[in-house]
Amino acid sequence: MVMMNMQTNKPTLHPLRFCAVILLLAVLLSAGCAAPELSAEARSVTVFAMDTVMDLTVYGGDDDLLTEAENMIHFLETEFSVTDPESDLSRLNAAGDFSVGPDTKSLLASALALSDRTDGAFDCTIYPVLRAWGFTSGEYRVPAEDELAALLPLVNWRKVTVSGERVTVGEGQMLDFGAIAKGYTGDRLISLFREAGAASALVNLGGNVQLLGKKPDGSLWNVAVADPFGNGYAGVLKTADCAVITSGGYERYFEEDGKIYRHILDPKTGIPADNGLSSVTVVGERGIVCDALSTALYVMGAERAEAFWRGSDDFEIILLTEDGQIILSEGLEDSFAPSGEWRDAPITVIRDD
Ligand code: AMP
Ligand code: MG
């Protein structure tokens, strides 16, 4: 989806388009909820956290709801940040053995289950390798082969053990929640809004869109899927009450000696995944699941991603390939409309048979 956290020191791939895409998404989403009776009840706030711009809009609930939501975001950021030495996660990474708070415990339980479910295409123990590439600090470099070979054995979620609040990682292991923290946060925000009695809400965490209910006028929301190659969007999804989460190599990358290195790594090799996909959008009920799976399916490539979708029943997918094709799972056949440069792209619908 739309990215806000791109950190590249090579502006050659049109970094300004990111702002345009965000603006476009905002316009599209707000245009989608512009029925006159809505304006009186709509409350919105923009928050910068987790290295991204977050826009929250809620219809209903009391006056303090958005303040509560904002506080929740900042609290979760201080729990999950891998660069803040005071965060729950950093303290676990530094000590290797640490009693974590309830949110870290809950997120980690899902992260380990999703690492298992994807057979490590998503692996929450990727941090040592990610750090070697500089993707967490912005000090990008291409690690030497022997350096990667030495770090790879540390990437293995099976070595992490949890006993009550106590989390123990294997010798030298460190965790990274970059691929799921926003999905978890989105789930918490949607629950907060639902429990406060709001009927409709839209949470856009830097392009990770999560929706509560339909628009207040009873129609579906319009969610833009970013064009991984350009300024605009590749299409619009009409949907409600779900998470729409995209992973793409275009969100963060660097270039060295004419080669582009993207931020989603294949945990089996330690090098950026390069399997012919330019973005993966996962649509489903749970943000944390969609967030982990969008990253994992990007690593898998189209063929394995399709097989994985056939073996699952809790999400739908939109795959945009590097060579300009659209692959849709059948549940989205009637709700996704390609647009812009993708309007005439060949579409393959994958079915569960
Ligand atoms: P997303 O944008 O949700 O796909 O998350 C990408 C982020 O997840 C990266 O910036 C890294 O912090 C982290 N990451 C990269 N590759 C992986 C992987 N294979 N498994 C888990 N986390 C990853
Ligand atoms: Mg993700």
Side-chain angles (χ1 to χ4, degrees), residues 120-124 126 130 135-136 176-180 245-248 251-252 263-267 291 294-295 299:
F122 162 83
D123 190 326
C124 56
I126 195 83
L130 203 62
F135 280 117
T136 51
D176 177 80
F177 294 156
I180 48 169
I245 294 184
T246 302
S247 287
E251 292 176 315
R252 184 179 299 196
H263 70 132
I264 300 177
L265 304 178
D266 183 338
D291 205 355
S294 64
T295 309
V299 170

Side-chain angles (χ1 to χ4, degrees), residues 225-229 233-237 276-281 302 306 317-329 332-333 336-350:
V225 174
D227 180 349
F229 304 139
Y233 50 98
V236 177
L237 183 70
L277 293 177
S278 58
S279 79
V280 174
T281 299
E306 287 173 33
I317 47 176
I318 304 166
L319 309 180
L320 303 181
T321 69
E322 286 285 357
D323 62 3
Q325 300 186 50
I326 300 173
I327 300 169
L328 283 182
S329 59
L332 301 181
E333 193 175 2
F336 180 73
S339 53
E341 301 284 314
W342 293 80
R343 189 178 300 277
D344 300 318
I347 300 180
T348 306
V349 178
I350 52 168

Side-chain angles (χ1 to χ4, degrees), residues 165-240:
E165 275 65 54
R166 194 112 199 140
V167 180
T168 308
V169 302
E171 181 74 35
Q173 280 198 309
M174 285 184 281
L175 309 183
D176 177 80
F177 294 156
I180 48 169
K182 283 188 279 169
Y184 180 87
T185 303
D187 286 340
R188 289 289 317 274
L189 291 167
I190 293 291
S191 297
L192 173 73
F193 294 155
R194 184 184 286 117
E195 282 155 24
S200 301
L202 184 157
V203 169
N204 180 5
L205 308 184
N208 272 23
V209 174
Q210 294 193 227
L211 306 164
L212 170 64
K214 292 182 179 168
K215 287 194 287 180
D217 67 0
S219 62
L220 297 171
W221 305 92
N222 299 308
V223 181
V225 174
D227 180 349
F229 304 139
N231 285 322
Y233 50 98
V236 177
L237 183 70
K238 282 193 170 299
T239 191

Side-chain angles (χ1 to χ4, degrees), residues 21-72:
V21 172
I22 286 298
L23 199 68
L24 226 153
L25 180 70
V27 168
L28 198 71
L29 291 170
S30 58
C33 56
E37 81 267 21
L38 311 185
S39 51
E41 306 173 34
R43 292 191 189 85
S44 296
V45 70
T46 299
V47 183
F48 186 78
M50 300 184 185
D51 211 13
T52 198
V53 175
M54 305 183 166
D55 290 305
L56 318 180
T57 300
V58 62
Y59 302 86
D62 64 28
D63 287 347
D64 295 335
L65 192 51
L66 283 181
T67 310
E68 228 180 296
E70 221 175 314
N71 291 340
M72 178 185 277

Side-chain angles (χ1 to χ4, degrees), residues 139-158:
E139 288 163 23
Y140 301 121
R141 58 190 278 277
V142 180
E145 260 176 51
D146 56 349
E147 184 185 353
L148 279 182
L151 293 174
L152 271 180
L154 302 176
V155 182
N156 184 351
W157 79 98
R158 293 188 182 94

Side-chain angles (χ1 to χ4, degrees), residues 2 183 245 316:
V2 185
I245 294 184
E316 301 289 339

